[in-house]
């Protein structure tokens, strides 16, 4: 086992997932809605906590795992989560209820993100998490950067695409989109970007606050 593999394994085993999130994870896997890993979830929770987030948007609800992690880090926040799969939203509602998240702190929107996001107020959110169909990741990140306040953060899990992004031979549309997103944002003067390689990867983009 390589040093990198050993580090990844240790980090995965060291992450403690709250019981209510673990139950949501099990349900997500039953539905076929692959959730973010505990390691990435914990990173999202830390960022939410450090941001003292009060308003969060999630693009791609799944069965509620990522939303629960975000609210774990920001217990006073209100989460708006968008998904076009009613079954997934139903599972997330159940997971939130079991976690005793007050109904007023979670807004569930059924619909395509490409249709919902343009109607949302810009510069109004602390965090936008992008975990929807990878074919639209660049469009969703552009919307996310519009929606977050100055100093707000856009989070993109799964950005390493199972190792495909690091493989120069892989040039399919999804891999190329993730690769372009990483390269362009790392050099952008509009954001501070960081690529976390824990588990499936997490791209963090925080907008620059103008003087």
């Amino acid at each position: 086992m390589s040093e990198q593999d050993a580090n990844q394994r240790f980090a995965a085993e060291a992450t403690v997932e709250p019981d209510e999130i673990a139950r949501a994870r099990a349900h997500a896997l039953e539905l076929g809605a692959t959730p973010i890993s505990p390691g990435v979830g914990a990173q999202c929770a830390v960022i939410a906590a450090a941001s003292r987030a009060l308003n969060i948007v999630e693009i791609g609800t799944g069965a509620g795992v990522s939303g629960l992690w975000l609210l774990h880090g920001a217990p006073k926040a209100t989460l708006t989560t968008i998904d076009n799969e009613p079954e997934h939203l139903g599972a997330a509602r159940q997971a939130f209820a079991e976690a005793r998240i007050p109904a007023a702190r979670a807004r569930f929107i059924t619909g395509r993100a490409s249709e919902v996001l343009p109607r949302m107020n810009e510069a109004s959110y602390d965090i936008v998490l992008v975990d929807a169909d990878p074919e639209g990741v660049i469009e969703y990140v552009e919307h996310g950067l519009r929606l977050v306040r100055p100093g707000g953060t856009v989070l993109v899990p799964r950005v390493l695409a199972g190792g495909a992004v690091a493989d120069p031979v892989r040039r399919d549309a999804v891999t190329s989109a993730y690769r372009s997103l990483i390269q362009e944002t790392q050099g952008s003067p509009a954001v501070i970007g960081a690529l976390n390689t824990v588990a499936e990867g997490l791209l963090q983009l925080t907008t620059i606050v103008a003087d």
Side-chain angles (χ1 to χ4, degrees), residues 46-211:
V46 168
I47 293 165
S51 304
R52 297 184 179 181
L54 294 176
N55 292 291
I56 301 173
V57 174
E58 178 185 45
I59 305 169
T61 307
V65 172
S66 50
L68 287 174
W69 269 116
L70 288 165
L71 292 177
H72 180 67
K76 295 183 179 180
T78 297
L79 174 74
T80 299
T81 184
I82 306 163
D83 204 295
N84 65 350
E85 293 286 348
E87 186 178 14
H88 293 177
L89 287 165
R93 285 180 187 274
Q94 179 182 340
F96 278 42
E98 291 178 357
R100 298 183 179 178
I101 303 296
R105 288 182 50 217
R107 182 167 67 130
F108 299 87
I109 298 178
T110 305
R112 295 185 178 278
S114 58
E115 298 172 358
V116 175
L117 294 172
R119 303 197 299 268
M120 301 183 74
N121 294 330
E122 64 182 46
S124 298
Y125 300 91
D126 301 300
I127 293 174
V128 174
L129 184 138
V130 178
D131 190 22
D133 54 300
E135 292 82 1
V137 65
I138 291 178
E139 176 188 357
Y140 298 151
V141 169
E142 289 174 347
H143 277 296
L145 292 172
R146 178 183 65 83
L147 294 178
V148 294
R149 58 169 173 78
T153 298
V154 176
L155 300 173
V156 189
R158 310 182 206 275
V159 74
L160 296 177
V165 167
D167 182 354
V169 176
R170 293 288 297 270
R171 297 183 181 276
D172 58 276
V174 169
T175 302
S176 296
Y178 278 131
R179 190 179 292 131
S180 295
L181 176 64
I182 294 168
Q183 293 171 342
E184 291 175 11
T185 53
Q186 292 301 296
S188 171
V191 299
I192 297 173
L195 176 60
N196 192 319
T197 59
V198 66
E200 67 270 33
L202 179 68
L203 181 64
Q204 307 162 51
L205 306 172
T206 298
T207 57
I208 301 286
V209 178
D211 295 333

